[in-house]
Each structure stands twice: as C-alpha cells, then as structure tokens.
Amino acid sequence: MAEREGEVGVDPRLLELLVCPLTKGPLRWDRAKNELVSEQAGLAYPIRDGIPIMLVEEARPLGEGEAVPEELRR
Amino acid sequence: MIRRTFDRDLLRRRRARRNPPPDPSFRDELAARLVDRLVDLRRRFTTVLELAAADDAVDRARAAAGLPPFALHLRADTAPPRLGRPAPALVLDPERLPFPDGRFDLVLAAGGLHWIDDLPRALAEIRRVLARDGLLLALFPGGASLIELRTCLVEAELELLGGAALRVFPTLDPRDGAALLQRAGFASPVVDVERVDLAYRDPARLLFDLRAAGESAAFAPELRRPLRRAVLARALELYRTRFVRPDGTHPVTVELVLLAGFGGPAAAPTVQEPSSPA
C-alpha cells in the first residue's frame, strides 16, 4: 500500500471517488508521474497543484507497455 | 457526434483567466437563492458535488443560512476553480463526469451550466451520479436575461451593419428545462423562474462584469462575428438613453431558471461512450 505521509498530492477522498470519465473504469494513481491512469482507456489524466484534470482532451495517451499494471511490470 | 455550438477551448481559457473575479454580490445572490431551497428541504446532505464552482460563494451562502458544512463538498469546474482555501477540487467535463453511479446526494450549480454543448447528455450524467433520493439544484439564465443589453446590441448592429449576430450567452426556456429533466430521467422534476433586477450606474460596467465572469460570448468560430467598436459604442449609447431611471441608474434584468429533480430509480438511460466496453 502506498504511504501518504508528507504527500502534497490529491485529497484521498477524491482519489477514492474518481473513475475514468470515458470508460467509468478504475483509475490507478501513478505517484511518480502524478497522474491518474485509466488502463481501459489508455489515458493518463494529469494532477496539477493537487487538482485532477479529468478531461479527455488534456489526458496523455499511454505509450507501448505503459498500460500494464505496475505490479506486473516488476 | 454532436455539433459544437460553443468554443470549448476559449471558454476554458476564459474561465481560467477570470480576473478580477465575477462581481461577488451577484455570485452571492445566485448562491443564496440556491441555498434557500436547501433550507426549505430540511434534509441533511453529506456528499455534494458543486459544478461550475467558480468560487466559494455557495459555501458562504450555506454558512450564512445556518446550514452545517457538507461532509464532502467537491468543487468542480471546466478550469481549475479559484478557491479561497484548500478544498477537494477537480477539473471535469460535465458531459463526461468522472464518478461512479449513484455517489452523490446533492449536485449543485449556481449558474455556469449554460455553455454546455450537449446539455441533455450532461443532465443524464448528473442523474447517473446521483443516488436514488439524491437531488439536483441548478440555476440557468432565462430568456429575459440582459434583455436591455441585447435589444441595444441588435439595434446597433442592424443600424450600422444591416444584420445581427449572436452576442450574449445562451439562455434556457423553462419549458425546455422541464423537457430536459424528464428526458434525462429525473424523478419529480421541478422548474421555476425567478427574476433578479439589478441596477448599474454605467452599462459599460456591465460589459466589464460579464467579461470578468468569463461570460463574454464564446461561440464556435463559424458562428462568431467580431463585435465592432462602433457597434458597441452605439449599443451603449442606446442603453444609456433608452433605459435610464429617474435616479440615473440603468436596469439590468436577470431571469433565473431553476431546475430541480431527484435521481430516481436506477434504471436510468445511461450515457454510452462509443469506445467503451459493454
């Protein structure tokens, strides 16, 4: 489980609530890139100043292999 | 794919740039009218989504009305909200809400939803994220809004250019509002209309406030025609002479259309993305 101490990240209550606006599927928080990743949609939604930007137009398309969940990549 | 009436990028840039912020007295007026309805309901709402949350006017109105804070109050807008203090906030597209079904017991909008291209779809999305007994309360500008300004602009354009263009923000007809709520599957839909009469010393100040509120016209490029300086000057001249009261102020009519409805049973018409898995 991720530790949240000292994070100036997103409000955890928001993280629990959000889904992908396109697929309504789950999101994975990529702490390193500070993005919310929708594997189903192949998109990463940026978080700027603690504010998730849940716009398809602003999302980064995932590259080759990036859509693989973190635990399977190790 | 729906045909776009508005320029979304332009709208978003404008909402991000609003500076100075909208006339606080007017925002407060809208928020107070919305919160009044909550007070009447005598029900405690815990999980609240506020759309078009330009500032914390709704929160101030809630406190002023003596209502306790909502356990969770998410503020959402199409550009990062400008909030006085840290609060859970996000940027979203009302046509594609990033929430699971049935999660909110209240969705509020003190104006700001009138620039949505596909309003039926946004309402269906709101309905989807509301719990069965969850409530939508949203204010829209009605057709009588800014009637004085619009009359003067049309007349000035006809006089100087021989034709008139779309100039002022879109408005919602109360009958259309009722039909939209029904189409989106809301239970016990209610639509009512209120009038707010404002007074401005100088009509030019109204244009300034509209720009500051991110409410200048933002129609799609093919529908857009630049407003010439001479036309604007003539429109203001007409406004100043034709709509002047004995005390020297100029009336500004604002009509508010309130849409209200409950989430209702779960078998809602859901919004399907073409690419989403079944």
Side-chain angles (χ1 to χ4, degrees):
Chain A
M1 275 311 278
E3 291 158 22
R4 292 221 176 103
E5 297 97 76
E7 283 283 335
V8 202
V10 205
D11 189 303
R13 291 172 302 172
L14 243 187
L15 283 186
E16 282 162 28
L17 209 55
L18 287 176
V19 298
C20 174
L22 201 59
T23 63
K24 317 299 180 197
L27 293 169
R28 175 172 56 79
W29 182 29
D30 183 327
R31 282 157 51 104
K33 295 200 178 93
N34 208 22
E35 289 175 334
L36 293 168
V37 177
S38 169
E39 268 134 31
Q40 281 176 19
L43 292 172
Y45 300 91
I47 300 171
R48 297 185 194 129
D49 303 322
I51 297 180
I53 313 292
M54 305 308 292
L55 301 174
V56 174
E57 306 90 297
E58 302 262 325
R60 182 178 68 82
L62 294 179
E64 193 90 357
E66 263 193 299
V68 178
E70 218 167 344
E71 51 273 24
L72 298 180
R73 264 191 275 159
R74 296 213 178 109
Chain B
M1 202 58 185
I2 184 148
R3 195 162 153 213
R4 295 278 164 204
T5 310
F6 307 127
D7 184 333
R8 282 147 65 98
D9 288 338
L10 179 62
L11 280 164
R12 202 171 293 138
R13 284 200 303 278
R14 256 196 211 135
R15 285 190 84 78
R17 207 170 41 188
R18 277 172 300 208
N19 192 20
D23 179 356
S25 61
F26 184 59
R27 279 284 302 166
D28 287 347
E29 177 72 39
L30 289 183
R33 279 168 192 258
L34 207 56
V35 168
D36 270 354
R37 309 297 176 120
L38 294 180
V39 175
D40 294 345
L41 287 169
R42 300 172 174 281
R43 178 178 147 192
R44 193 137 184 185
F45 294 98
T46 54
T47 311
V48 179
L49 171 64
E50 185 187 344
L51 297 170
D55 51 28
D56 43 22
V58 166
D59 212 39
R60 286 197 306 272
R62 177 202 52 74
L67 294 176
F70 307 124
L72 180 64
H73 181 175
L74 288 186
R75 290 104 199 263
D77 202 353
T78 52
R82 288 164 177 245
L83 302 170
R85 56 198 158 73
L90 74 154
V91 172
L92 53 68
D93 176 354
E95 295 175 28
R96 287 174 173 157
L97 293 179
F99 306 108
D101 298 0
R103 289 308 287 273
F104 294 96
D105 57 11
L106 179 63
V107 174
L108 290 174
L113 297 187
H114 51 285
W115 285 110
I116 294 174
D117 271 306
D118 194 346
L119 190 54
R121 181 186 172 127
L123 287 172
E125 275 288 87
I126 292 170
R127 152 94 175 69
R128 182 184 64 78
V129 303
L130 276 175
R132 195 190 170 94
D133 63 346
L135 175 67
L136 162 71
L137 282 181
L139 287 175
F140 289 81
S145 295
L146 307 190
I147 189 70
E148 303 87 356
L149 175 65
R150 290 196 291 179
T151 308
C152 295
L153 278 170
V154 167
E155 196 168 321
E157 277 198 310
L158 285 172
E159 199 180 293
L160 297 173
L161 303 175
L166 294 167
R167 290 291 173 217
V168 179
F169 52 71
T171 58
L172 182 69
D173 182 280
R175 281 160 303 183
D176 293 342
L180 282 166
L181 284 174
Q182 243 144 23
R183 185 170 152 193
F186 282 91
S188 318
V190 172
V191 176
D192 62 42
V193 181
E194 287 182 51
R195 262 175 86 123
V196 186
D197 293 306
L198 303 175
Y200 274 71
R201 285 240 153 251
D202 182 6
R205 171 77 203 181
L206 170 63
L207 294 178
F208 176 84
D209 278 357
L210 285 169
R211 265 196 297 270
E215 286 294 350
S216 318
F219 295 98
E222 61 274 21
L223 298 174
R224 200 181 300 155
R225 266 178 33 193
L227 178 58
R228 294 201 195 164
R229 199 170 290 225
V231 171
L232 185 58
R234 178 65 182 142
L236 288 174
E237 192 186 324
L238 288 169
Y239 205 139
R240 288 188 186 110
T241 51
R242 194 167 300 167
F243 295 100
V244 63
R245 288 173 171 146
D247 66 354
T249 64
H250 304 270
V252 176
T253 301
V254 178
E255 190 178 61
L256 298 176
V257 178
L258 177 93
L259 301 195
F262 291 94
T270 52
V271 179
Q272 278 287 324
E273 287 291 339
S275 59
S276 72

